[in-house]
């Protein structure tokens, strides 16, 4: 407070611009600091704690502590003390303020200079502002009472929301004007970037005016009767063109630099030289200095050779010279040579345009203060997002968040984390909302295309065929009341180009939203690289996963689900429509689709939600196979599918629609090898539960079974031992269930093989799989065996040994119309798996089984009166099926222990007894 202007400096904004501006900025900063200091309630306690800490550390009090304490007491009422303190500066401040008249002329002569514009709320720091009107009224009452009416009048004009300079309606019109002006300016400069050289000043002016209007709206949203004046749904457009101009300045910086360098060397240097030559008095020191300026400007006419340090040095030299010549006792007084001042100010501005474009952008287009007006900023975004015409400009909001790092200061490092978090939070919020809206429109278009594609499915052709047939047979046509359905494709017929369909509107909305992603491919927010398109991909991934699951229409209570073929057709329609998105915005749709479909092949997606793999696994286990185990649904080997039995209770679905070749092939395409692996694991769990029960039955009959194995060639002993067996029906039932499950598994493996048949590129898997059976013999490693067969199984290749069943049994080791034909499948798979686990030769063991079984079956025909021969012929054929399906048994082995004539007679008898059907 004790400093004095002993040099009697001269301040005039038109003569020494930087000197005057810095002086006025110093006064404003000083007053703001003092005012903010007065707002701290505990400032005395804080200063006292500081002094105590200093005394503990140094052994004595801080020498400046008394002076600091006295200052806090004196500035308890800051404005009163400041008005007294600035008394000696009245002349200098008045001189500087009056010089602003040349730049900001008053609109009306009756008003004091710039009084109308000055009596407003002034922002002290960030969101802290001060009402200048109340301060002016307090200060002028005692000294200039005649000005009180003027102050009140200006207060009404400026503070009242419906009058004067702060009128919401006036500001709204200014924003409308600036929107159109910036739009036209952007279009011109995009078409002719070379104009950025001579018109760069107009760009900075436009940015400055726009920034002021944006900040005014953010800081002035009062409760009035005309809220529409303070709600701008078109703010996104203004921010968008501000960012476009900033981008143009950055892209064509070389144009600006080259133009102003040539301007400096070919005009400013010459004008400065002519001015120097025309001066009637010029001290030798000043003459040498300015001649040096002229020489420097003339010699550097190539922008690639002008180093930034040179331009910075020139700018500093101009500032120092300006300050030196503004002192009262200076040899050369700048105020006496206004032409020299003008040329120097112009040369200094052109020098700044050479290398300080970013600094000028911070001065004219800095919107980082919006970081502290988060609610208002979010409200402006919400208002703009509701306007369809503004959706193409929405990305300007998250891009503005990249400016917030300019709010940081080296003296306040503790703010860095908070401002960074706030910036990222706002940026992510805006981008997620834009992505959500875009994703909604995209999926609506996909759904519409899916509906159109669904009309083309073969199942809808029955009505068309029936109509054509009736017309050919000349049957009666439907009544007039029955309006015929529109054929697919009629929606594309346009009688009038003015008619706009719902799909047209959605495509228009998509075009608007995707255009917003063209502002910039990426931008940086506090060292975080933000890619807007990635937010769209992430949103599409989440929503598409949910849509696919919803399209499955799974109802756990009624066991209803969409046919795999229908779901596959729907997904293909969605994918086809999604690929058109790349025409609007540069994103990798293929990567998106692969990511989503791979997630659907797992039990849970990346967010922990159920996928179609889980849904179809549950349905096939609980809906189809459970009913097949109860013989409500039977396996038909002829058509390779499951079919419904004719029962009194009608089934809720047709099994053949889900289990035929087309259905299972679609299932294999939908859930892929990973999904089928999960399905197999669940199937194995059910098989193992049945095998566990079978082991209990075997354990109960162990003695009889061991004796039967030893006496299989003794008919009388076999007959007695057979009577000792218990739970035969239970064994038959459980083996049938295992056979049904394995038959279904074999069907889906065949479907997977057909799906992958064009994608086999692995020579190892292309070899005949039978060459791998050596791995299962006792000398082989079971883990190697499983690894080899699992590779083959994943490719859909048929295997002699079921790797999933082997693995399941190894892990469980502890100390026709009833689906009976599936028993052969169960015997072969279980035998191969169990003998593999026990490391026994499968072929040898099965030959022994064949001998025992043949011996028992041959004894069935010895006594025609015995009850066991009731289904003798069917059992003969069942033994034949076991041999046919087994890769380890052959017909020659069967004929060695069982006469073929019995098989031929059995086929004839069965054919006579039962009606041969397709299921």
């Amino acid at each position: 407070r004790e400093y004095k202007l002993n040099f009697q400096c001269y301040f005039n904004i038109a003569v020494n611009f930087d000197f005057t501006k810095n002086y006025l900025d110093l006064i404003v900063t000083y007053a703001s600091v003092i005012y903010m200091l007065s707002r701290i309630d505990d400032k005395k306690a804080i200063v006292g704690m500081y002094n105590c800490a200093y005394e503990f550390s140094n052994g004595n009090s801080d020498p400046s502590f008394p002076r600091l304490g006295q200052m806090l007491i004196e500035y308890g009422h800051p404005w009163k003390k400041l008005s007294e303190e600035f008394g000696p500066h009245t002349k200098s401040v008045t001189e500087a303020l009056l010089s602003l008249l040349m730049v900001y002329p008053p609109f009306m002569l009756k008003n004091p200079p710039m009084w109308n514009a000055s009596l407003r709320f002034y922002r002290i720091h960030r969101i802290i502002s001060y009402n200048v009107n109340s301060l002016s009224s307090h200060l002028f009452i005692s000294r200039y009472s005649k000005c009180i009416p003027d102050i009140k009048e200006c207060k009404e004009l400026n503070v009242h929301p419906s009058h004067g300079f702060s009128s919401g309606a006036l500001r709204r019109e200014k924003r409308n004007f600036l929107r159109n002006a910036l739009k036209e300016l952007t279009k011109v400069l995009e078409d002719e970037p070379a104009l950025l050289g001579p018109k760069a000043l107009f760009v900075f002016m436009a940015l400055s005016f726009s920034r002021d209007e944006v900040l005014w709206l953010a800081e002035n949203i009062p409760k009035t009767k005309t809220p529409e004046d303070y709600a701008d749904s078109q703010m996104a457009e203004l921010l968008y063109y501000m960012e476009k101009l900033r981008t143009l300045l950055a892209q064509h910086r070389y144009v600006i630099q080259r133009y102003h360098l040539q301007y400096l060397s070919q005009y400013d240097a010459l004008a400065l030289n002519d001015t120097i030559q025309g001066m009637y008095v010029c001290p030798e020191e000043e003459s040498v200095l300015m001649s040096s300026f002229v020489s420097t400007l003339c010699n550097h006419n190539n922008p690639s050779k002008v180093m930034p340090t040179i331009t910075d040095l020139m700018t500093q030299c101009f500032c120092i010279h300006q300050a030196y010549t503004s002192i009262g006792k200076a040899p050369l007084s700048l105020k006496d040579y206004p032409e020299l001042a003008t040329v120097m100010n112009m040369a200094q501005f052109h020098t700044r345009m050479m290398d300080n474009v970013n600094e000028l952008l911070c001065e004219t287009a800095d919107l980082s203060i919006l970081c502290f007006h988060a609610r208002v900023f979010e409200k402006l975004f919400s208002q703009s997002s509701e306007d369809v015409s503004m959706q193409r400009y929405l990305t300007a909001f998250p891009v503005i968040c990249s400016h917030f790092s300019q709010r940081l200061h080296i003296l306040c490092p503790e703010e860095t984390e908070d401002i960074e978090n706030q910036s990222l939070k706002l940026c992510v919020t805006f981008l997620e909302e834009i992505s959500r809206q875009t994703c909604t429109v995209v999926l609506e278009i996909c759904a519409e295309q899916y509906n159109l594609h669904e009309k083309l499915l073969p199942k809808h052709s029955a009505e068309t065929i029936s109509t054509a047939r009736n017309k050919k047979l000349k049957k009666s046509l439907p009544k007039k009341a029955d309006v015929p359905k529109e054929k697919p494709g009629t929606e594309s017929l346009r009688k009038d180009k003015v008619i706009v369909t719902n799909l047209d509107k959605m495509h228009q909305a998509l075009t608007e939203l995707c255009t917003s992603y063209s502002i910039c491919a990426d931008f940086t927010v506090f060292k975080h690289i933000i890619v807007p398109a990635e937010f769209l991909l992430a949103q599409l991934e989440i929503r598409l996963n949910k849509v696919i699951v919803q399209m499955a229409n799974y109802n756990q209570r009624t066991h209803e689900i969409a046919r795999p073929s229908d779901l596959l057709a729907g997904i293909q329609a969605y994918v086809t429509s999604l690929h058109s998105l790349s025409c609007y915005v540069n994103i990798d749709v293929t990567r998106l689709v692969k990511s989503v479909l791979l997630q659907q092949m797992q039990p849970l997606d990346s967010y922990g939600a159920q996928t179609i793999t889980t849904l179809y696994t549950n349905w096939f286990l609980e809906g189809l196979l459970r009913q097949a185990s109860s013989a409500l649904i039977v396996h038909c080997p002829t058509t390779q599918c499951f079919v419904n039995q004719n029962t009194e209770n009608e089934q809720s679905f047709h099994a053949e629609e889900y289990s035929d070749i087309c259905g299972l092939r679609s299932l294999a395409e939908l859930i892929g090898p990973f999904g089928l692996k999960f399905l197999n694991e669940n199937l194995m769990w059910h098989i193992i539960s049945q095998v566990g029960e079978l082991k209990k039955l075997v354990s109960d009959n162990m003695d009889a079974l061991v004796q039967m194995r030893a006496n299989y060639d003794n008919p009388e002993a076999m007959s007695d031992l057979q009577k000792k067996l218990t739970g035969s029906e239970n064994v038959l039932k459980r083996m049938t269930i295992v056979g049904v499950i394995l038959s279904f598994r074999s069907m889906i493996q065949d479907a997977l093989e057909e799906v992958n048949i064009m994608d086999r590129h692995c020579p190892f898997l292309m070899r005949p799989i039978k060459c791998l059976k050596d791995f299962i013999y006792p000398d082989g490693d079971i883990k190697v065996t499983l690894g080899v067969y699992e590779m083959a199984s994943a490719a859909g290749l048929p295997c002699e040994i079921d790797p999933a069943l082997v693995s399941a049994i190894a892990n469980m080791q502890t100390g026709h119309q009833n689906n009976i034909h599936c028993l052969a499948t169960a015997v072969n798979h279980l035998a191969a798996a169990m003998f593999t686990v026990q490391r026994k030769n499968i072929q040898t063991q099965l030959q022994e089984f064949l001998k025992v079984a043949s011996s028992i079956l041959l004894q069935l025909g010895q006594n025609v009166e015995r009850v066991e021969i009731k289904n003798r012929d069917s059992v003969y054929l069942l033994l034949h099926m076991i041999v046919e399906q087994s890769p380890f048994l052959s017909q020659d082995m069967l004929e060695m222990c069982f006469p073929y004539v019995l098989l031929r007679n059995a086929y004839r008898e069965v054919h006579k007894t039962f009606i041969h059907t397709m299921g």
Side-chain angles (χ1 to χ4, degrees):
R1 63 175 182 167
E2 295 179 355
Y3 71 88
K4 298 181 180 178
L5 293 177
N6 296 324
F7 297 106
Q8 299 179 359
C9 296
Y10 172 73
F11 297 101
N12 190 308
I13 199 73
V15 176
N16 45 12
F17 174 81
D18 285 282
F19 192 51
T20 303
K21 175 183 176 295
N22 291 334
Y23 174 65
L24 294 176
D25 286 344
L26 175 64
I27 294 174
V28 171
T29 303
Y30 179 71
S32 299
V33 169
I34 295 299
Y35 174 71
M36 289 189 64
L37 185 62
S38 67
R39 288 171 56 94
I40 302 175
D41 297 330
D42 300 328
K43 52 182 174 291
K44 294 181 181 179
I46 294 173
V47 172
M49 291 176 63
Y50 161 75
N51 185 57
C52 291
Y54 186 92
E55 186 173 358
F56 284 137
S57 300
N58 300 280
N60 59 330
S61 300
D62 187 352
S64 61
F65 174 70
R67 183 182 177 186
L68 180 61
Q70 183 64 27
M71 189 191 75
L72 293 179
I73 295 173
E74 291 177 355
Y75 284 92
H77 301 283
W79 299 121
K80 180 180 179 181
K81 184 62 179 178
L82 284 173
S83 63
E84 296 174 358
E85 187 175 23
F86 274 93
H89 300 268
T90 302
K91 181 182 178 181
S92 301
V93 175
T94 303
E95 188 177 46
L97 290 175
L98 289 176
S99 68
L100 300 178
L101 284 172
M102 300 184 65
V103 184
Y104 308 101
F107 296 100
M108 295 178 292
L109 293 177
K110 76 170 187 175
N111 288 338
M114 295 163 292
W115 195 252
N116 191 9
S118 64
L119 292 181
R120 285 179 274 161
F121 283 91
Y122 174 73
R123 184 171 69 247
I124 300 293
H125 178 67
R126 295 178 180 173
I127 60 174
I128 303 174
S129 59
Y130 190 81
N131 189 349
V132 183
N133 284 279
S134 60
L135 174 62
S136 303
S137 301
H138 175 72
L139 293 177
F140 277 75
I141 285 176
S142 57
R143 299 183 182 181
Y144 306 99
S145 58
K146 294 182 180 180
C147 296
I148 299 301
D150 293 335
I151 294 175
K152 292 182 178 180
E153 182 181 356
C154 291
K155 180 179 179 180
E156 289 295 322
L157 289 173
N158 294 293
V159 180
H160 199 279
S162 59
H163 299 91
F165 190 78
S166 298
S167 169
L170 176 62
R171 294 285 189 162
R172 184 188 66 225
E173 295 303 321
K174 288 183 68 175
R175 290 193 298 274
N176 289 335
F177 169 78
L178 286 171
R179 263 187 287 269
N180 294 326
L182 262 65
K183 182 178 181 180
E184 294 174 0
L185 182 61
T186 302
K187 298 299 182 183
V188 170
L189 294 178
E190 284 181 336
D191 188 51
E192 295 291 343
L195 290 175
L196 277 170
K199 301 301 180 183
L201 179 59
F202 289 94
V203 176
F204 287 113
M205 291 170 60
L207 290 172
S208 179
F209 294 148
S210 303
R211 176 206 58 190
D212 292 343
E213 295 308 313
V214 172
L215 297 185
W216 182 90
L217 184 63
E219 297 171 355
N220 296 273
I221 304 185
K223 297 180 180 178
T224 65
K225 296 181 180 179
T226 57
E228 64 276 3
D229 292 338
Y230 297 88
D232 193 345
S233 62
Q234 298 180 330
M235 178 58 71
E237 185 177 7
L238 184 59
L239 296 177
Y240 172 82
Y241 285 112
M242 287 181 68
E243 285 301 316
K244 289 291 287 184
L245 288 175
R246 290 176 64 105
T247 304
L248 286 173
L249 288 172
Q251 288 178 346
H252 304 288
R253 183 176 179 179
Y254 181 78
V255 174
I256 301 172
Q257 188 183 47
R258 184 175 183 83
Y259 173 83
H260 286 93
L261 181 60
Q262 293 178 352
Y263 204 111
L264 281 168
S265 61
Q266 299 178 17
Y267 179 81
D268 290 342
L270 302 178
L272 183 59
N273 185 55
D274 293 342
T275 304
I276 296 172
Q277 298 298 328
M279 294 173 61
Y280 55 89
V281 176
C282 185
E284 182 179 357
E285 184 180 352
E286 298 295 331
S287 178
V288 172
L289 181 60
M290 287 188 286
S291 297
S292 177
F293 288 162
V294 173
S295 176
T296 304
L297 295 176
C298 291
N299 292 334
H300 294 87
N301 54 10
N302 189 343
S304 62
K305 296 181 180 180
V306 179
M307 301 299 294
T309 54
I310 296 178
T311 56
D312 291 340
L313 182 60
M314 291 173 61
T315 303
Q316 294 175 10
C317 290
F318 275 124
C319 292
I320 294 173
H321 184 266
Q322 193 178 89
Y324 176 67
T325 55
S326 299
I327 300 174
K329 296 181 180 181
L332 176 66
S333 180
L334 195 60
K335 66 180 179 180
D336 296 333
Y337 298 94
E339 294 183 359
L340 176 62
T342 301
V343 174
M344 290 186 67
N345 282 332
M346 184 168 57
Q348 185 174 357
F349 174 72
H350 294 159
T351 304
R352 293 186 66 189
M353 294 293 289
M354 280 283 300
D355 195 57
N356 293 326
V357 173
N358 291 335
E359 181 182 338
L360 289 170
L361 282 173
C362 290
E363 293 181 8
T364 57
D366 181 21
L367 296 173
S368 59
I369 193 67
L370 292 173
C371 177
F372 305 103
H373 297 276
R375 289 187 179 181
V376 177
F377 199 31
E378 290 176 341
K379 184 177 181 181
L380 292 173
F381 174 80
S382 178
Q383 292 171 354
S384 297
S385 62
E386 293 173 358
D387 190 339
V388 178
S389 62
M390 291 294 108
Q391 289 178 340
R392 61 170 51 210
Y393 308 117
L394 288 179
T395 311
F397 282 91
V399 173
I400 295 296
C401 297
S402 63
H403 302 177
F404 293 169
S405 58
Q406 298 172 10
R407 286 288 105 185
L408 300 179
H409 197 280
I410 56 175
L411 297 180
C412 299
E414 66 277 1
E415 287 187 335
T416 302
E417 184 177 356
D418 293 336
I419 295 178
E420 179 179 356
N421 293 338
Q422 178 73 353
S423 304
L424 291 173
K425 178 184 176 183
L426 286 172
C427 180
V428 171
T429 300
F430 295 149
L431 287 174
E432 285 182 345
E433 178 61 23
I434 297 170
S435 302
R436 186 193 64 80
Q437 294 185 17
T438 308
C439 184
T440 299
V441 176
V442 169
L443 294 181
E444 285 179 356
I445 293 175
C446 291
E448 189 71 21
Q449 293 293 339
Y450 167 71
N451 293 334
L452 296 176
H453 183 272
E454 200 268 343
K455 295 179 182 179
L456 297 175
L457 293 179
K459 63 182 181 181
H460 297 295
S461 62
E463 184 176 353
T464 304
I465 295 173
S466 176
T467 303
R469 183 173 182 275
N470 291 337
K471 185 176 181 180
K472 184 176 181 180
L473 297 176
K474 297 181 180 180
K475 290 187 177 182
S476 59
L477 297 174
K479 298 180 181 179
K480 293 183 178 180
D482 299 334
V483 180
K485 294 182 179 180
E486 292 184 351
K487 293 183 179 180
T490 55
E491 69 281 347
S492 300
L493 299 176
R494 303 290 182 94
K495 296 181 179 179
D496 190 350
K497 63 180 181 180
V498 179
I499 299 176
V500 179
T501 64
N502 186 42
L503 197 58
D504 295 334
K505 295 178 182 178
M506 288 190 289
H507 277 288
Q508 178 64 27
L510 181 61
T511 303
E512 294 291 324
L513 286 166
C514 290
T515 304
S516 67
Y517 292 93
S518 65
I519 294 182
C520 58
D522 58 80
F523 56 92
T524 304
V525 179
F526 282 89
K527 299 182 181 180
H528 296 268
I529 299 177
I530 307 297
V531 183
E534 290 297 323
F535 283 81
L536 177 58
L537 283 172
Q539 195 71 231
L540 281 170
E541 181 180 321
I542 297 171
R543 297 281 294 276
L544 194 57
N545 273 313
K546 294 180 180 179
V547 167
I548 291 176
V549 172
Q550 290 172 358
M551 289 170 62
N553 292 326
Y554 179 61
N555 189 323
Q556 189 174 5
R557 183 178 59 84
T558 60
H559 294 298
E560 294 179 353
I561 199 169
R563 294 174 59 186
S565 55
D566 291 349
L567 179 58
L568 180 62
I571 293 177
Q572 289 173 344
Y574 265 76
V575 171
T576 302
S577 184
L578 277 173
H579 276 289
S580 65
L581 182 61
S582 57
C583 300
Y584 296 89
V585 60
N586 185 22
I587 62 173
D588 191 351
V589 178
T590 303
R591 177 167 68 98
L592 165 68
V593 173
K594 286 183 178 180
S595 174
V596 171
L597 294 183
L598 281 174
Q599 290 183 50
Q600 291 301 315
M601 293 178 184
Q602 304 295 331
L604 300 175
D605 62 18
S606 58
Y607 295 91
Q610 287 188 336
T611 61
I612 57 175
T613 293
T614 301
L615 300 183
Y616 275 107
T617 297
N618 293 339
W619 185 86
F620 275 103
L621 290 173
E622 302 297 329
L624 190 144
L625 294 179
R626 185 176 293 275
Q627 296 189 43
S629 301
S630 305
L632 298 175
I633 295 175
V634 297
H635 174 252
C636 178
T638 307
T639 57
Q640 281 294 301
C641 68
F642 286 87
V643 296
N644 296 71
Q645 285 273 50
N646 294 324
T647 58
E648 296 180 358
N649 298 325
E650 185 178 356
Q651 300 293 323
S652 59
F653 62 91
H654 297 285
E656 61 271 17
E657 294 181 353
Y658 295 85
S659 60
D660 60 359
I661 296 176
C662 180
L664 293 182
R665 189 182 300 166
S666 300
L667 179 67
E669 288 192 49
L670 286 172
I671 66 177
F674 297 110
L676 291 179
K677 181 177 181 294
F678 177 74
L679 176 58
N680 286 336
E681 289 172 354
N682 282 268
L683 293 175
M684 291 304 109
W685 184 88
H686 285 272
I687 290 176
I688 291 306
S689 65
Q690 299 298 328
V691 172
E693 296 299 322
L694 288 172
K695 289 183 67 176
K696 294 178 182 178
L697 293 171
V698 171
S699 179
D700 295 340
N701 296 275
M702 183 60 72
D703 294 337
L705 291 173
V706 170
Q707 295 180 34
M708 289 178 70
R709 179 181 180 184
N711 299 284
Y712 70 90
D713 55 350
N714 187 343
E716 294 180 359
M718 291 291 291
S719 177
D720 295 336
L721 291 171
Q722 186 178 357
K723 295 177 181 179
K724 296 180 180 180
L725 294 177
T726 59
S728 300
E729 292 294 330
N730 197 0
V731 170
L732 210 58
K733 179 181 179 182
R734 295 189 182 280
M735 286 295 291
T736 302
I737 293 174
V738 172
V740 169
I741 296 175
L742 290 174
S743 298
F744 172 72
R745 185 178 183 279
S746 176
M747 291 164 58
I748 60 175
Q749 283 295 115
D750 292 341
L752 179 62
E753 181 183 12
E754 293 180 7
V755 170
N756 293 340
I757 195 169
M758 300 302 295
D759 296 327
R760 292 182 184 169
H761 303 297
C762 180
F764 180 73
L765 292 180
M766 286 295 291
R767 300 174 188 170
I769 201 65
K770 288 186 178 181
C771 69
L772 302 175
K773 68 179 182 180
D774 293 336
F775 285 100
I776 67 174
Y777 290 154
D779 295 336
D781 188 348
I782 190 171
K783 292 184 179 179
V784 176
T785 303
L786 288 179
V788 172
Y789 280 100
E790 281 180 4
M791 290 172 61
S793 179
L797 298 177
C799 300
E800 300 165 346
I801 303 173
D802 192 323
L805 188 57
V806 171
S807 177
I809 293 177
N811 291 332
M812 70 164 288
Q813 290 187 90
T814 60
H816 314 244
Q817 294 189 354
N818 56 357
N819 287 316
I820 195 64
H821 55 278
C822 297
L823 190 64
T825 303
V827 169
N828 280 313
H829 282 77
L830 285 176
M834 288 180 173
F835 293 140
T836 299
V837 172
Q838 296 175 4
R839 300 196 177 192
K840 293 185 178 181
N841 190 302
I842 299 176
Q843 188 171 15
T844 302
Q845 298 297 322
L846 284 178
Q847 286 178 356
E848 185 176 346
F849 162 78
L850 188 60
K851 293 177 181 178
V852 175
S854 300
S855 175
I856 296 175
L857 292 179
L858 289 173
Q859 295 176 31
L860 293 177
Q862 293 180 0
N863 190 352
V864 295
E865 296 180 358
R866 294 177 60 179
V867 180
E868 288 87 344
I869 66 171
K870 178 180 179 182
N871 297 317
R872 179 185 60 189
D873 295 323
S874 297
V875 178
Y876 287 172
L877 297 183
L878 187 59
L879 180 63
H880 187 223
M881 290 177 62
I882 293 174
V883 175
E884 277 190 328
Q885 295 180 15
S886 174
F888 304 97
L889 298 176
S890 64
Q891 292 294 330
D892 293 340
M893 296 178 184
L894 178 62
E895 290 184 5
M896 289 175 61
C897 53
F898 194 85
Y900 186 76
V901 65
L902 296 179
L903 292 176
R904 185 173 64 244
N905 294 336
Y907 273 112
R908 184 176 63 251
E909 294 298 325
V910 170
H911 181 72
K912 288 180 181 179
T913 307
F914 298 100
I915 299 174
H916 183 71
T917 66
M918 296 299 292

